[in-house]
Amino acid sequence: MARGRRSSSPDDDGYKRFTEDIHNVSYGSNSTIEGDEMGSRSTLCCDNDQEMERGEGNWEMNYHEAAIFLEEGQNNEKFDSHPRHPNDLPAYLLVHNAWYYGLDLIMSIIILLLALVEAPSVDNFQLSLGIHGTLELAALAVIGVELVLKLRWIGWGAVLKHKRTMIKGVTLVIMVLEALVMLIRQSSHFRVTRALRPIFLVDTRACGGVRRFIRQILQSLPPILDMLALLMFLVCSYALLGYFLFGHTASNPYFKTLTDSFVSMFVLLTTANFPDVMMPSYAVSKWYAAFFISYLSTALYVLMNLMLAVVYETFTAIEKDKFRKLLLHKRRACQLAFRLLVSKQNPSSIRFRQFYGLMRYFSPRTSARDVVLMFWQLNSSHNGTLTLDEFINIYDATRLRWRLKDPIDPWFSAAWPPLRSMCHAARAIVTWRYFEHLVYVIIIGNGIAMMVRIFIAEDTLEASARGFSASWDACLFLSLFGIEAILKIIGLGWTDYVSSGWNIFDVSVTYAAIIGAVVLLIKPTFTAVVVFRPLRLLRLFKLKKRYRDIFGTVVLLSPLMLSTSIVMIVMYYFFAIIGMELFSQYDLRNCCVNSTVEDFYRYSENGTTALGYYYLNSFSNLLTTGVTLFELTVVNNWFITMEAFAVVAHQYSRIFFMTFYLFTMVVLTIVVASVLEAFRFRIQYKRQTSKKDEERMLMEEVIVDWNTLQGTLQDSALLDHLRTDFVPGGLTSYTGKRPRTREVLQRHMYYAEISQWMAEADQLEITAELAQTSAS
């Protein structure tokens, strides 16, 4: 396929439409290796006519491109970045390589960590300008390779339309130019653009969830901005009223000017300066309290909570719409892959040969047994071929983890006879109906022993810690917990044991407590390890349904919480760089003389007051800046730091601190909304789904008949390989288990909506076909 011809048609986007007329599709020769004429030839096949006549490589390239489509659907990548020509494939495969993903992530992290060794930095940790400048250019060069390779198969037109790639490219150019200028001049300069470095981290493959969360934040902004506008109107109105009410009072430092009045009311929004801001006015007249009470009641308890409600409602709708779009995107990917896997002889279904060829590229680590079981599970019609409606469920099938339904022997069946007897005994103990009750009794006993140890007075802190975590009773209970874990591992097998999250928690905290006890005996001053012993008590919370719901919500939220943490780190890094560039040169010791915050910065070489330690809240290096920003996030006395820099730097420096507060408020509001939505989703799911329904939803059973398998596979070599996994001439039953992820639960919860979404998508495709037909 020539590149010039690819852009001749407005409908030609690099692959032939699934619904196009069969006469417009290029077919392989009638003597192809696989014995079937392809229904549609991959656009990645070579253009050598001789190879086409021999049929070499045609099906393989079809399998490869079909796998690429499925990967693009799974990763939520737009199809406009799909390779469109055989020459595009090497660059595409290099960029979409696991090794390059890791290298890209490492280089992005290195660029972020450069802020630790660039001025200003921690003492004795700063590298010379030449070293960190060279490191920066090297890391940027590795990241730039991806953009260059993308241009190889995407082209400038698609890059210019892709906002994220454009932002990354512009940032990369700016960073390279600044690093070169810095190396040439051999001196640093005002580099606030370093705050944009997190863009490279967010764009990595590992941070796909982070990008989706940022997208949800941006989609949730309209209602937040509306509420912020209303909130700022209220702040300004009360600031104006406060200035004219209290500005004439000489003893009131909070309303001397309109600027002071606005700052005071903005800080009061966070309650950090309450009741200090009210007391001078309250001393003049008790009736002035009504001003502050009405303000806080309206702003804090009405508008702020109303903002959370609005964001929650918006976030819930966005979450559902995100699931719908991702589902339809995967469906479209399956359609595009499906048309590359059908043959001319069977244009509406896929044979196992083609499915197996696809899986060799899409999931190369999947065993032949699992590929057979996936095909069997997908083939609900049991006719030996997959229709499009069956093939669409391939993403769900790849999540299943298969095992024999009724294994003839346990895992230790082939062990040495004495060892096998011991394993049988361990299995009988852990499957005893009262075994778990006995474990709970031991946990309660451990808790009682800890309470007794707490109330026993010891001479030193080290002796108290040793008695709590390394005494005879601690060793007794830790030994019992260790024996419990060993019995379960021996009796159930490692695979079954680690399939339970609670078992992983139990063995982790148990052996952490054992290691902690040993550390205390060796080094008594290391008292922090006492925290490991009481952690096992968390297992008791499993007994109550409400706590199980909470823990279940935490598990569902763990991917989101990870994304949220990275978003917060990115935001901190952004403001930290700006803060260091603006304020790193200022020393706050004994600053702010004759100001309202003077006492907080009194410093003496011989010691300081309890309040005087606020000079430590500086922007002298990245680590100290991170602590300062966290204090601002908590908002307790955050205005004291803001006022100090307003005095030593400039009054307009308050804009930095107020902007940071607004950013954190927006992000944290969305985080709270996401937690509420996840908890509501889980509660609603639990109400609608019984335990048996959930087990049926998470489990799939497949019964494979060897005779039918022979007719489906038609491959003697593969059948010989599968003889150890299936019973020749008989039936073999396997069960597949899905992970309990949010997406799996959503597919169950939104079953009716999914059918409606699919029907609407089908209708849109039919409408598009009719429009295309009428246009032609």
Side-chain angles (χ1 to χ4, degrees):
M1 183 186 295
R3 287 183 180 272
R5 283 196 329 228
R6 281 189 315 181
S7 58
S8 60
S9 170
D11 292 328
D12 189 355
D13 54 357
Y15 46 82
K16 297 184 182 301
R17 295 178 58 85
F18 175 69
T19 55
E20 68 185 352
D21 191 278
I22 196 170
H23 298 292
N24 295 328
V25 181
S26 299
Y27 297 105
S29 68
N30 292 327
S31 58
T32 58
I33 295 175
E34 305 246 29
D36 283 328
E37 262 187 284
M38 292 183 298
S40 181
R41 181 169 178 260
S42 169
T43 57
L44 303 181
C45 287
C46 57
D47 293 328
N48 190 305
D49 293 336
Q50 293 180 353
E51 291 185 2
M52 284 182 60
E53 287 297 325
R54 294 196 303 267
E56 295 179 355
N58 290 339
W59 272 111
E60 287 300 313
M61 291 310 301
N62 274 30
Y63 300 152
H64 201 166
E65 186 175 13
I68 290 174
F69 276 126
L70 292 182
E71 289 171 359
E72 289 170 340
Q74 182 172 286
N75 300 327
N76 200 24
E77 296 180 10
K78 295 182 178 179
F79 296 125
D80 57 5
S81 63
H82 186 82
R84 306 178 180 183
H85 192 270
N87 295 334
D88 299 339
L89 192 57
Y92 181 89
L93 294 179
L94 181 60
V95 172
H96 292 77
N97 180 277
W99 288 99
Y100 187 82
Y101 290 148
L103 184 62
D104 188 30
L105 178 62
I106 292 172
M107 292 299 106
S108 301
I109 294 175
I110 288 175
I111 288 179
L112 291 179
L113 294 180
L114 285 177
L116 289 171
V117 298
E118 297 169 330
S121 67
V122 180
D123 295 338
N124 302 322
F125 206 67
Q126 183 173 334
L127 294 178
S128 65
L129 188 146
I131 294 177
H132 71 69
T134 304
L135 285 174
E136 182 176 2
L137 281 177
L140 291 173
V142 174
I143 294 174
V145 168
E146 179 191 5
L147 293 177
V148 174
L149 291 175
K150 275 188 175 182
L151 286 174
R152 178 67 184 83
W153 82 83
I154 295 178
W156 280 104
V159 170
L160 293 174
K161 294 178 182 178
H162 198 267
K163 296 178 182 178
R164 193 176 78 242
T165 304
M166 271 298 299
I167 293 174
K168 182 178 180 179
V170 172
T171 304
L172 182 68
V173 172
I174 294 174
M175 295 288 180
V176 170
L177 292 177
E178 281 200 328
L180 289 173
V181 170
M182 187 176 61
L183 288 173
I184 293 172
R185 295 177 63 240
Q186 283 299 302
S187 64
S188 187
H189 54 274
F190 185 76
R191 289 192 65 191
V192 74
T193 51
R194 291 187 300 155
L196 301 177
R197 286 174 175 173
I199 290 175
F200 302 126
L201 176 65
V202 171
D203 193 60
T204 59
R205 171 70 176 274
C207 292
V210 178
R211 291 195 298 273
R212 285 190 287 272
F213 186 72
I214 293 176
R215 191 180 301 117
Q216 284 181 280
I217 292 177
L218 297 176
Q219 292 172 338
S220 302
L221 276 182
I224 292 179
L225 294 178
D226 292 341
M227 294 303 301
L228 281 180
L230 183 58
L231 198 60
M232 288 300 101
F233 174 78
L234 182 70
V235 172
C236 293
S237 299
Y238 270 84
L240 183 65
L241 179 59
Y243 171 70
F244 285 106
L245 283 177
F246 314 125
H248 61 278
T249 305
S251 61
N252 193 333
Y254 301 104
F255 296 93
K256 286 183 178 180
T257 65
L258 273 174
T259 301
D260 292 335
S261 181
F262 174 79
V263 172
S264 298
M265 299 311 294
F266 187 92
V267 175
L268 183 57
L269 188 65
T270 68
T271 70
N273 62 346
F274 189 79
D276 298 355
V277 69
M278 183 182 73
M279 300 316 291
S281 306
Y282 189 61
V284 175
S285 174
K286 299 297 187 290
W287 291 105
Y288 285 145
F291 171 86
F292 298 94
I293 293 174
S294 63
Y295 174 76
L296 285 175
S297 300
T298 305
L300 190 62
Y301 300 115
V302 177
L303 292 184
M304 295 292 282
N305 289 326
L306 188 59
M307 177 188 293
L308 177 59
V310 171
V311 172
Y312 170 76
E313 182 63 28
T314 305
F315 188 89
T316 302
I318 291 174
E319 186 70 22
K320 190 171 183 178
D321 188 60
K322 181 184 72 174
F323 173 75
R324 180 187 65 84
K325 288 181 177 179
L326 182 59
L327 185 72
L328 294 179
H329 183 73
K330 288 182 176 180
R331 177 179 182 269
R332 179 58 179 160
C334 290
Q335 290 175 333
L336 295 170
F338 185 83
R339 60 95 193 178
L340 290 170
L341 301 174
V342 297
S343 63
K344 186 176 181 182
Q345 290 79 3
N346 298 288
S348 60
S349 60
I350 300 174
R351 298 172 57 193
F352 177 81
R353 186 190 300 273
Q354 281 71 43
F355 182 78
Y356 187 69
L358 166 71
M359 295 304 296
R360 282 192 286 108
Y361 288 97
F362 180 57
S363 184
R365 295 184 179 179
T366 303
S367 65
R369 183 205 69 174
D370 289 354
V371 173
V372 171
L373 293 173
M374 280 190 286
F375 186 87
W376 234 258
Q377 189 267 331
L378 289 172
N379 188 209
S380 56
S381 59
H382 305 294
N383 61 359
T385 59
L386 297 180
T387 63
L388 177 60
D389 291 337
E390 293 171 337
F391 182 73
I392 282 175
N393 297 313
I394 187 172
Y395 292 110
D396 179 61
T398 55
R399 294 193 188 96
L400 294 169
R401 296 296 174 261
W402 299 95
R403 59 177 298 172
L404 282 170
K405 182 181 179 182
D406 297 310
I408 301 173
D409 294 310
W411 70 274
F412 48 79
S413 59
W416 181 45
L419 180 61
R420 186 163 64 243
S421 300
M422 184 181 69
C423 293
H424 271 295
R427 189 181 187 89
I429 292 173
V430 298
T431 55
W432 181 41
R433 58 182 301 184
Y434 296 110
F435 180 76
E436 288 297 324
H437 296 78
L438 179 61
V439 172
Y440 284 121
V441 170
I442 297 174
I443 293 174
I444 294 172
N446 182 42
I448 295 172
M450 284 190 293
M451 292 295 295
V452 172
R453 284 291 176 181
I454 289 173
F455 289 107
I456 294 178
E458 297 286 354
D459 296 334
T460 63
L461 187 64
E462 289 79 6
S464 178
R466 188 167 55 252
F468 185 82
S469 293
S471 58
W472 69 267
D473 56 286
C475 294
L476 173 63
F477 285 108
L478 290 177
S479 299
L480 292 175
F481 292 142
I483 292 172
E484 175 218 351
I486 293 173
L487 285 175
K488 285 186 174 180
I489 293 173
I490 294 175
L492 301 177
W494 178 253
T495 303
D496 285 353
Y497 182 80
V498 297
S499 63
S500 170
W502 280 108
N503 286 339
I504 296 174
F505 171 79
D506 290 342
V507 72
S508 300
V509 299
T510 296
Y511 286 98
I514 292 174
I515 294 172
V518 174
V519 170
L520 267 179
L521 293 174
I522 297 174
K523 189 176 182 180
T525 56
F526 201 73
T527 57
V529 294
V530 298
V531 71
F532 293 124
R533 185 181 178 187
L535 287 179
R536 190 62 196 269
L537 293 175
L538 281 174
R539 183 65 183 259
L540 297 175
F541 289 91
K542 184 186 175 184
L543 297 173
K544 193 171 180 60
K545 181 180 181 301
R546 182 170 299 165
Y547 291 121
R548 292 199 299 270
D549 290 336
I550 293 174
F551 291 137
T553 304
V554 171
V555 172
L556 287 179
L557 280 173
S558 54
L560 178 63
M561 289 298 100
L562 179 60
S563 299
T564 302
S565 301
I566 297 176
V567 169
M568 292 297 293
I569 291 173
V570 165
M571 185 181 69
Y572 270 45
Y573 190 93
F574 177 83
F575 280 95
I577 295 296
I578 297 176
M580 288 191 296
E581 293 288 349
L582 294 176
F583 308 123
S584 62
Q585 69 273 28
Y586 295 109
D587 188 350
L588 300 181
R589 287 176 288 190
N590 293 317
C591 72
C592 313
V593 179
N594 298 325
S595 69
T596 58
V597 296
E598 178 181 2
D599 293 337
F600 295 92
Y601 295 93
R602 293 187 189 277
Y603 176 79
S604 172
E605 293 290 343
N606 300 323
T608 184
T609 64
L611 297 177
Y613 291 105
Y614 275 74
Y615 74 91
L616 296 171
N617 297 328
S618 65
F619 293 84
S620 57
N621 57 69
L622 186 64
L623 299 179
T624 302
T625 301
V627 175
T628 302
L629 292 177
F630 183 78
E631 292 183 24
L632 296 175
T633 303
V634 179
V635 304
N636 186 37
N637 287 348
W638 71 280
F639 70 98
I640 295 174
T641 303
M642 177 180 69
E643 289 302 315
F645 284 100
V647 172
V648 301
H650 197 281
Q651 295 294 321
Y652 289 111
S653 63
R654 292 192 181 100
I655 296 175
F656 170 83
F657 296 92
M658 291 181 175
T659 304
F660 177 75
Y661 167 74
L662 292 176
F663 266 77
T664 54
M665 182 181 67
V666 168
V667 174
L668 292 177
T669 300
I670 294 175
V671 170
V672 172
S674 65
V675 172
L676 291 176
E677 195 277 334
F679 189 77
R680 180 206 61 83
F681 174 84
R682 179 171 174 81
I683 295 300
Q684 185 179 359
Y685 164 78
K686 283 293 186 181
R687 288 176 180 173
Q688 296 182 8
T689 309
S690 65
K691 192 68 176 177
K692 291 184 178 180
D693 290 339
E694 185 178 40
E695 290 178 357
R696 285 195 295 266
M697 178 192 69
L698 296 176
M699 302 293 291
E700 292 285 347
E701 182 178 353
V702 168
I703 300 176
V704 180
D705 178 24
W706 180 262
N707 296 326
T708 306
L709 184 64
Q710 287 179 308
T712 302
L713 269 57
Q714 297 181 353
D715 188 329
S716 57
L718 184 59
L719 284 168
D720 289 338
H721 178 70
L722 294 172
R723 286 181 179 275
T724 57
D725 298 307
F726 301 96
V727 179
L731 302 176
T732 311
S733 180
Y734 278 87
T735 57
K737 185 177 182 180
R738 296 183 179 89
R740 190 183 280 101
T741 62
R742 183 178 175 85
E743 183 180 353
V744 171
L745 302 185
Q746 282 177 319
R747 290 180 68 92
H748 176 72
M749 285 285 293
Y750 302 144
Y751 180 80
E753 288 91 338
I754 289 175
S755 300
Q756 181 181 353
W757 298 336
M758 295 293 187
E760 291 174 354
D762 290 336
Q763 186 61 42
L764 289 175
E765 290 176 5
I766 293 173
T767 303
E769 289 178 30
L770 293 175
Q772 184 180 4
T773 302
S774 60
S776 59

